[in-house]
Amino acid sequence: MLGNLAAFVVRRARLVLAASVVVLLGVGFVGFGAFGKLQSGGFEDPEAESTRAAELISSEFGGRADLVLLVRAESGDVDSPDAVAAGARLTDRLNRDADLAQVMSYWETGAASLRSQDGAEALVVAHLADDEVDAVTDRYAGANGPLEVTVGGPAAVDEDINGQVGQDLAVAESIAVPVILALLVVAFGSVVAALLPLAVGTIAILGTFGELSLFGSVTDVSIYAVNLTTALGLGLAIDYALLMVSRYREELAGGRAVPDAVVRTVETAGRTIVFSGLAVAAALAALLLFPLYFLRSFAYAGIGVVAIAVAGALVVLPALLAVLGPRVNAGRLPWLRRSPAASAPFWGRLAAAAMRRPLVAAGPVVALLLAASVPLLQVTFGTPDDRVLPTSAASRQVGDALRTGFAGNETTAVDVVTTGAVGAEPLSAYAAELSSLPSVERVDTSAGMFASGRPVEGSPADPSRGTASAQHLSVVTAVDAKSEAAKDLVADVRDLAAPAGVGALVGGASATLADSLDAVADRLPLAAGLIALTTFVVLFLFTGSIVQPVRALISNMLTLGATLGIMVLVFQEGFGSSLLGFTPQPLDMSMLVLLFCIAFGLSMDYEVFVISRIKERIDAGASIEEATVHGLAHTGRIVSTAAALIAVSFFAFGTSQVSFLQLFGLGAGLAILIDATLVRGILVPASMRILGPASWYAPAGLRRLHARVGLAET
């Protein structure tokens, strides 16, 4: 099948290239429209109780407070005559602002929770009616007479994260792209060959942008999918081009004519690329199981970029090789007398050494990876908030002030909204019960405030919290919204019976966190099972063995366990936090799931590269030892070079000012390097020696099945 495809491409090489350019221009035109359709956010379960609570609050009460103005008196406190007069003027301006709703100001309500404990700061909270954070910031931030205003809150945090991520990606790309280009020239040994992965990468990236544009027209797609598209598209292009060009040069050196060399390259390296693509896509497909569109978006982008990269490597790249012929080596580096050799003796010698004493070689590596995995046992989970930003960000400064200077406020409150009208007496009884729960400072309702199980004397009623069909209660707490105490409070609130005749939906930041964690955790076993099953099937079809998939899964678990353990040690426990400039905190479960799937997929990519050459020699009658040494010698340089190039791309994210982007980049780069060195160089040959002929075992029935459905080289 692949041979027939390659033969057609060779015969019609220029026509294939011309058609590819036309298609690329078309999808590129469509793809540039994607950026206006993609969205930020996507960390919430759309079916969760907290999401339904937010929707009900929005429809009945105009939305919850998502903007916080931190107001500091330049001298004295916020109750000085000058500050009171300026605060009143500021409040009046905010009340008349068409972009804001439900403005609640300290100078209007006198609420103690809106005044800092030292009296130097006060809060004004509001709901942003339109997504005009920048416009509101421009109008109010800075000096307002004797007051200094800083704008924060969830809406401002989202805006700051999006802006910071955009700046950070530009910086990362400005670092990574020149380094990768220089390394590509060194890796391929010539300028012309180094341009080939850029051609495949351009096809994969622009094609996936077109796909995301189409998806963005019919469903929610996260803007962060663009980051994966560029990183993975370039990474796979490097992998596939290295493999194809290396094999093509090998075939030319063996005396084949250009057309025959291209066909044989597609039959062998192309087969490896097909199975590699299937393995990577299978790992990413598991993200479709999660209800958070942040994760599903990476499946859309990842599967698309893999499929298009494979198509580019099997169609466009062979056409380019057929047209270039021996000129693929043009622009050779002056200090190289010839192109890089097809084999790398170092990797062959390393494999031979590991096979001579497999337990001695593998034991320390396994012990090291298991030790690195230990911190994973202490992992705690959260969702992104202002603390993922640098301390220089305005919204981060507001968040820090809220946590240290205020006993409790509306933005961290647990929201309770009833699904029907409630009378004054049952509402008061329900609010009193809520106010008696542990960690609750007070409960704000349309009937007044409640604390410690009873009404607060003299507290004003807030009619805006009640309508003919719902009641909105704010359970104000001083505990951190991401803490275990906050999640326990959400559970306690949900355990309380709602007033007779109505239901009660619980929302707010803490409830959203709890629901998002539950949504991901509930589907993790199914996702892990799907990844294991699809990986097993793909590797069985590739090798004809049931042992090789199990060995590969165990190796990948060691790599990923070590990587995730190190991420816990760094980003949760804070080792190296001062060097990288982030605040340690619970890890974002969604980002860890994404990191797992990406790293797993790329590990399978290298697994297929190495096993393909080993299996090729096994099928030719070589012994396991000879085949393994040959396979590592002919793929070790490709795998290590590709891993180094992709790791540069991911490690560049370490320059980011957003901690979850740092985690993803450093984690993905580390996993790739561990897999390409310790696992491929030592564990693979050692395990082959330990397993011996059993490495290729399959029951007779499955061997017959593989003979019928497995994709062979010819």
Side-chain angles (χ1 to χ4, degrees), residues 374-505:
V374 171
L376 191 56
L377 299 175
Q378 306 299 321
V379 66
T380 57
F381 298 110
T383 52
D385 64 10
D386 61 275
R387 282 168 286 190
V388 305
L389 290 164
T391 54
S392 58
S395 59
R396 168 65 187 272
Q397 294 170 3
V398 173
D400 287 341
L402 292 176
R403 283 183 288 272
T404 59
F406 293 82
N409 63 85
E410 184 73 14
T411 59
T412 59
V414 175
D415 290 318
V416 181
V417 57
T418 64
T419 57
V422 181
E425 187 173 336
L427 176 64
S428 297
Y430 183 48
E433 281 191 276
L434 289 171
S435 69
S436 65
L437 292 174
S439 304
V440 174
E441 296 281 322
R442 70 176 196 278
V443 177
D444 297 337
T445 76
S446 63
M449 297 181 186
F450 293 77
S452 302
R454 56 184 179 272
V456 176
E457 290 186 15
S459 62
D462 185 358
S464 66
R465 289 185 172 274
T467 69
S469 55
Q471 288 285 337
H472 178 201
L473 301 86
S474 291
V475 182
V476 179
T477 174
V479 299
D480 189 294
K482 295 176 70 171
S483 65
E484 290 300 319
K487 286 183 275 188
D488 291 341
L489 175 59
V490 170
D492 291 339
V493 171
R494 286 174 170 169
D495 287 341
L496 277 184
V502 300
L505 300 176

